[in-house]
Amino acid sequence: MAFKLGGVDSNVKKKGLVKGLILGCIVVIVNILSFYYMTGTVDSHPLLVLPGSFILTIVIPLITIIFFTLNIRKSIGGYWSFRQAVTAIFIMLFTTYIMLTIGRDILFVKLVEPNMVQKIGAVMVESRMRKDQLDGMPSAQIIQDLAFEKKNFNVQVDNGQWAIVESIPENILITFVLAIILSAIFKKERPFLVEKKD
C-alpha cells in the first residue's frame, strides 16, 4: 500500500474515480426512477409525490456518498489527510455529476423523455392543487397557489447543449464545496507517536 503523508497518491484518486462511476450509475437510475415515481403517483397519492421524490433523489444518494467516502478511507488504511479526503471525494462527486449530466440530461431527456421538465412541472402543479383541496382551502387560495406553481415552471427550460455547458462552472463550485464539507467531517489524520525522552 502506497502512502504519501503530505500529498495525494494515485490510489486515492483511482478509488475516488471508481466510486464516482458506481455512484453515478446509482444516481442516474434513482433520478429516472424518481421521475417515473412522481408522474405515476400524482393521481393516486398526491401527498406522497414530494416525500418519495426527496427520499429517492436526496436521501439515497447522500447515504451512498457517506458509505462510499468511509469505504475509500478504509481501503487506504483508515487514515487520510484533509487533502487526500478532498481529492478523493471531489473526484467521486465530479465523476457522478458528469455521469448524471450524460445519463439523465443528455441521453434520457433527449432520447426517452424530451418533455421531462414540463411533466415534472405538471406533476408539481397537480400535487399542489390536490393538497390544497384536501386541506379544504378556499377556491381563491387554490387558484392563487396554482398560479404561483405554474409561474415557477412557466419558463421554458433549455435542455440544449449550451445550457449544460453554462452550468458546468456552477456545478464544479458546488461539488468542490460539498467535497470540502464532507472532507472536514470524514477526515481522519494518522496519529503521530511522540517518543518520551528520559
Side-chain angles (χ1 to χ4, degrees):
M1 173 180 71
F3 177 77
K4 289 172 75 176
L5 185 59
V8 179
D9 64 19
S10 62
N11 190 33
V12 170
K13 295 175 184 175
K14 187 170 78 172
K15 290 187 183 301
L17 179 65
V18 169
K19 295 298 182 188
L21 292 171
I22 296 168
L23 180 62
C25 291
I26 292 169
V27 169
V28 169
I29 290 168
V30 163
N31 271 268
I32 292 170
L33 288 175
S34 174
F35 167 73
Y36 286 120
Y37 169 81
M38 287 177 72
T39 55
T41 307
V42 70
D43 290 331
S44 57
H45 304 288
L47 298 179
L48 296 179
V49 169
L50 291 180
S53 178
F54 177 78
I55 290 169
L56 285 171
T57 59
I58 304 294
V59 175
I60 291 174
L62 188 59
I63 290 170
T64 309
I65 288 169
I66 292 169
F67 174 75
F68 283 176
T69 298
L70 293 172
N71 186 270
I72 293 170
R73 186 178 74 188
K74 181 181 176 187
S75 71
I76 63 166
Y79 299 102
W80 59 4
S81 66
F82 182 73
R83 183 175 175 185
Q84 289 174 314
V86 169
T87 302
I89 294 170
F90 178 77
I91 290 172
M92 177 178 68
L93 295 177
F94 188 67
T95 304
T96 302
Y97 160 69
I98 291 170
M99 291 191 65
L100 182 64
T101 301
I102 293 169
R104 183 194 64 192
D105 298 340
I106 296 174
L107 297 176
F108 183 71
V109 170
K110 298 290 182 199
L111 302 176
V112 180
E113 287 289 347
N115 297 321
M116 182 177 101
V117 175
Q118 291 78 12
K119 288 181 179 179
I120 290 174
V123 164
M124 298 303 288
V125 169
E126 180 73 17
S127 177
R128 179 68 180 257
M129 182 184 76
R130 289 180 181 250
K131 180 190 173 301
D132 288 352
Q133 288 173 342
L134 289 173
D135 289 346
M137 286 190 166
S139 297
Q141 182 65 41
I142 292 174
I143 292 169
Q144 184 179 359
D145 286 351
L146 288 178
F148 177 76
E149 287 293 331
K150 287 179 183 176
K151 181 181 168 193
N152 286 340
F153 288 96
N154 215 8
V155 178
Q156 180 70 22
V157 176
D158 180 18
N159 288 327
Q161 294 163 345
W162 183 246
I164 292 170
V165 170
E166 282 181 330
S167 70
I168 290 174
E170 179 183 321
N171 287 315
I172 289 174
L173 181 63
I174 292 169
T175 301
F176 185 68
V177 169
L178 185 57
I180 289 173
I181 292 168
L182 290 171
S183 297
I185 294 169
F186 294 108
K187 81 175 177 93
K188 188 174 183 184
E189 299 279 352
R190 184 174 294 278
F192 292 100
L193 299 176
V194 179
E195 289 185 25
K196 188 176 181 182
K197 293 185 179 182
D198 294 329

